[in-house]
């Protein structure tokens, strides 16, 4: 079992189903990696997260995110910057996302709310617009001393 102060480095799969304001609903699949530090009680934690997904849209394109996360036990939230590649009817989109989630030893589920920065930038195509939906994942620690912590 991890000890207070031990970092938890974990990687795994990421799946999302989201609705988007200016585009069709989208399914994404990819990878997520995170680095979390636990406090002395081994219940409060903070960390960083990185995500890379392929979005099944026309055409298939990337969605990347990088940010911070923190929580109390299995309950947490992520605040990240993201970019999503251009589609047939939408321009490349940049924005911020917040994802409140619950994490158990190897699985987590959350609600993604993504707000674009470039919605009214005068491009010939609109951004994807506000995005909202379900995010789930399976992550596993890659440092052996971290086993026993909830992974986020």
């Amino acid at each position: 079992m991890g000890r207070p102060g031990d970092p938890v480095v974990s990687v795994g799969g990421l799946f999302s189903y989201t609705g988007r304001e200016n585009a069709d609903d989208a399914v994404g699949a990819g990878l997520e990696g995170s680095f979390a530090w636990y406090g002395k009680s081994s219940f409060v934690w903070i960390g960083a997260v990185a995500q890379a997904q392929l979005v099944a849209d026309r055409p298939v394109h990337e969605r990347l995110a990088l940010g911070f996360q923190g929580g109390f036990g299995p309950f947490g939230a992520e605040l990240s910057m993201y970019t999503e590649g251009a589609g047939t009817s939408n321009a490349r989109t940049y924005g911020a996302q917040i994802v409140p989630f619950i994490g158990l030893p190897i699985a987590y589920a959350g609600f993604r709310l993504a707000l674009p920065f470039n919605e009214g930038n005068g491009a010939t195509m609109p951004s994807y617009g506000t995005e909202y939906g379900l995010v789930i994942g399976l992550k596993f620690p890659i440092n052996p001393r971290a086993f026993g912590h909830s992974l986020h």
Side-chain angles (χ1 to χ4, degrees), residues 38 53 80 85 113 118 132-133 136 146:
Y38 284 78
Q53 287 186 281
S80 302
L113 174 62
N118 59 327
Y132 47 89
I136 58 173

Side-chain angles (χ1 to χ4, degrees), residues 76-87:
E78 163 197 326
L79 178 60
S80 302
M81 304 302 289
Y82 77 93
T83 182
E84 184 168 344

Side-chain angles (χ1 to χ4, degrees), residues 62-80:
E62 81 286 354
R63 187 181 195 286
L64 308 171
L66 183 63
F68 300 98
Q69 59 182 356
F72 186 75
F75 302 100
E78 163 197 326
L79 178 60
S80 302

Side-chain angles (χ1 to χ4, degrees), residues 13-147:
L14 171 68
F15 173 81
S16 63
Y17 180 83
T18 56
R20 300 179 294 180
E21 186 176 49
N22 298 331
D24 293 336
D25 292 357
V27 173
L31 297 173
E32 178 175 293
S34 62
F35 194 93
W37 294 274
Y38 284 78
K40 291 185 179 188
S41 70
S42 194
F43 212 64
V44 175
W45 58 274
I46 61 169
V49 62
Q51 301 169 340
Q53 287 186 281
L54 288 177
V55 178
D57 203 354
R58 293 175 291 258
V60 171
H61 59 270
E62 81 286 354
R63 187 181 195 286
L64 308 171
L66 183 63
F68 300 98
Q69 59 182 356
F72 186 75
F75 302 100
E78 163 197 326
L79 178 60
S80 302
M81 304 302 289
Y82 77 93
T83 182
E84 184 168 344
T88 304
S89 302
N90 299 91
R92 174 171 288 280
T93 301
Y94 299 93
Q97 66 184 24
I98 185 165
V99 183
F101 60 85
I102 185 168
L104 301 172
I106 63 167
Y108 69 94
F111 175 79
R112 179 191 289 162
L113 174 62
L115 303 169
F117 294 147
N118 59 327
E119 192 147 18
N121 66 354
T124 58
M125 295 187 298
S127 73
Y128 290 102
T130 301
E131 177 182 314
Y132 47 89
L134 177 67
V135 179
I136 58 173
L138 293 173
K139 289 182 5 184
F140 302 93
I142 60 173
N143 53 328
R145 290 175 58 187
F147 283 97

